[in-house]
Amino acid sequence: MENRTTVPYFLLLEFSKNRHLQLLHFFIFFVLYLTTVTTNLLIISAVAFDNRLHSPMYFFLMNLALQDMVIVSAIVPKSMINSLMNTRHISYFGCVTQYFLFLSFEASDLFLLTVMAYDRYVAICHPLHYELVMNWKYCTEIVIVVWVSGILYGMFHTTGTFSILFCSNVVNQFFCDTPQLLKLSCSGLNLLEFGFLVASIIAVIGCFTFIVISYAVIFRAVLRISSEKGRQKALSTCIPHLTVVIILVLSGCFAYLRPSSNTASYLDIGLTVLYALLPPMFNPIIYSMRNKYIKCVLSKLWRF
């Protein structure tokens, strides 16, 4: 029984036994990681140093960029190192830490995107009350609640997952992910982890429903704007946010709701990359493409 309750380390997915393919995996993940960190750092720098971007919407965007950097930093470097060193090992503590950070900041991402939907709702549907409602004190308190809620979610979920009995230490994924860890259970889900999974589903559905309703009201209000320029300006702040939400939710649903198999497949890996790595990389790009202020500031930073 003692051998089943604790494992000294886990074995992550080995992409290939071929050394050249291992180095190719290292190079691809290095490019993805470097691109993600660079683009998000540019967004943070742009918002921090330009007074025109000192508004609630960009304050939330800066926090989103910071959260995305933590997400990729929690899971990508270890996978890169394993490929470079031709190993699969991750310590028990390393797996717990990776799992906690990934879940905490993924949850914070979803909570913050929900808050950003409310911000756009107030800005477009109640513009005269926007500065009163979305004042700096309120926005700071919201962000603190988002971060604390995400960390508490990750803490409780991690406690539930790692309280199960593990019959194996082979994780068929390139990081410690929920579905793969739960497959290692000797006796199925315990009551604690089952409760957290149900709470997670309810939270995701609740956030997504709130976002959908907010944008239904927003688009109805946009259609009532008489000038075409006004409609375009309103949509330019909404479409990037809605695109980010759709990418995150749909990719996560495909990855987690797809029937699981006992062996890893390229489809499993691809879906995991889609929801874990691509949203943090594309978020700053999506927001920058349709925002003239961010593009202007980024061009100045680039020239500098």
Side-chain angles (χ1 to χ4, degrees):
M1 179 65 71
E2 289 184 4
N3 291 334
R4 297 195 309 170
T5 55
T6 58
V7 292
Y9 59 87
F10 291 92
L11 295 175
L12 297 177
L13 177 68
E14 186 178 38
F15 280 83
S16 175
K17 295 183 180 298
N18 185 294
R19 187 58 182 158
H20 296 292
L21 292 179
Q22 289 175 349
L23 293 176
L24 178 63
H25 160 248
F26 169 81
F27 176 75
I28 292 174
F29 269 43
F30 175 75
V31 171
L32 287 175
Y33 180 67
L34 185 63
T35 303
T36 303
V37 171
T38 302
T39 52
N40 281 286
L41 275 177
L42 285 173
I43 289 294
I44 294 172
S45 302
V47 175
F49 295 114
D50 195 282
N51 292 330
R52 291 175 299 177
L53 303 182
H54 289 178
S55 67
M57 182 178 72
Y58 298 109
F59 176 62
F60 295 142
L61 180 58
M62 182 176 67
N63 279 271
L64 184 68
L66 184 57
Q67 291 170 358
D68 287 341
M69 285 176 57
V70 176
I71 289 172
V72 295
S73 297
I75 62 177
V76 175
K78 182 58 180 176
S79 183
M80 290 166 48
I81 292 172
N82 280 0
S83 290
L84 190 62
M85 304 300 293
N86 191 22
T87 182
R88 301 173 58 189
H89 290 71
I90 183 171
S91 67
Y92 185 88
F93 178 74
C95 187
V96 171
T97 303
Q98 191 179 73
Y99 187 83
F100 165 73
L101 290 175
F102 179 76
L103 281 183
S104 296
F105 288 94
E106 277 285 341
S108 296
D109 255 17
L110 181 60
F111 298 154
L112 188 57
L113 288 171
T114 306
V115 171
M116 292 171 75
Y118 175 72
D119 172 73
R120 291 300 85 204
Y121 161 75
V122 177
I124 294 174
C125 299
H126 303 284
L128 298 179
H129 299 91
Y130 181 73
E131 292 186 3
L132 179 64
V133 175
M134 303 301 293
N135 58 73
W136 280 110
K137 181 176 181 295
Y138 181 62
C139 291
T140 304
E141 290 173 350
I142 288 178
V143 168
I144 292 173
V145 170
V146 165
W147 282 70
V148 171
S149 299
I151 290 172
L152 289 176
Y153 171 83
M155 186 185 303
F156 291 137
H157 215 322
T158 302
T159 301
T161 300
F162 285 90
S163 65
I164 64 177
L165 304 180
F166 293 115
C167 286
S168 172
N169 67 341
V170 180
V171 181
N172 286 321
Q173 194 51 267
F174 64 89
F175 70 100
C176 293
D177 197 14
T178 303
Q180 300 300 328
L181 285 174
L182 294 181
K183 287 180 186 178
L184 308 182
S185 172
C186 296
S187 55
L189 295 178
N190 58 29
L191 187 60
L192 181 63
E193 179 59 12
F194 179 77
F196 286 136
L197 286 175
V198 172
S200 301
I201 294 172
I202 293 174
V204 171
I205 293 175
C207 290
F208 186 67
T209 302
F210 181 87
I211 292 171
V212 169
I213 293 175
S214 297
Y215 272 97
V217 177
I218 287 172
F219 286 132
R220 187 175 65 180
V222 169
L223 292 176
R224 293 176 179 174
I225 298 176
S226 57
S227 68
E228 184 178 349
K229 185 177 180 180
R231 287 195 298 268
Q232 290 178 349
K233 183 178 179 180
L235 290 175
S236 67
T237 63
C238 294
I239 291 178
H241 176 258
L242 193 58
T243 304
V244 168
V245 171
I246 291 173
I247 291 175
L248 179 65
V249 173
L250 289 185
S251 59
C253 288
F254 275 120
Y256 281 102
L257 299 181
R258 179 177 174 270
S260 60
S261 59
N262 293 325
T263 57
S265 66
Y266 288 113
L267 181 59
D268 292 327
I269 298 170
L271 288 174
T272 304
V273 170
L274 183 65
Y275 87 88
L277 302 185
L278 294 190
M281 183 178 70
F282 282 121
N283 285 355
I285 298 174
I286 291 171
Y287 276 104
S288 302
M289 286 176 59
R290 296 185 62 89
N291 192 299
K292 64 179 182 179
Y293 295 117
I294 291 183
K295 286 192 290 186
C296 179
V297 175
L298 290 179
S299 64
K300 289 182 179 179
L301 289 175
W302 183 262
R303 288 196 297 269
F304 178 78

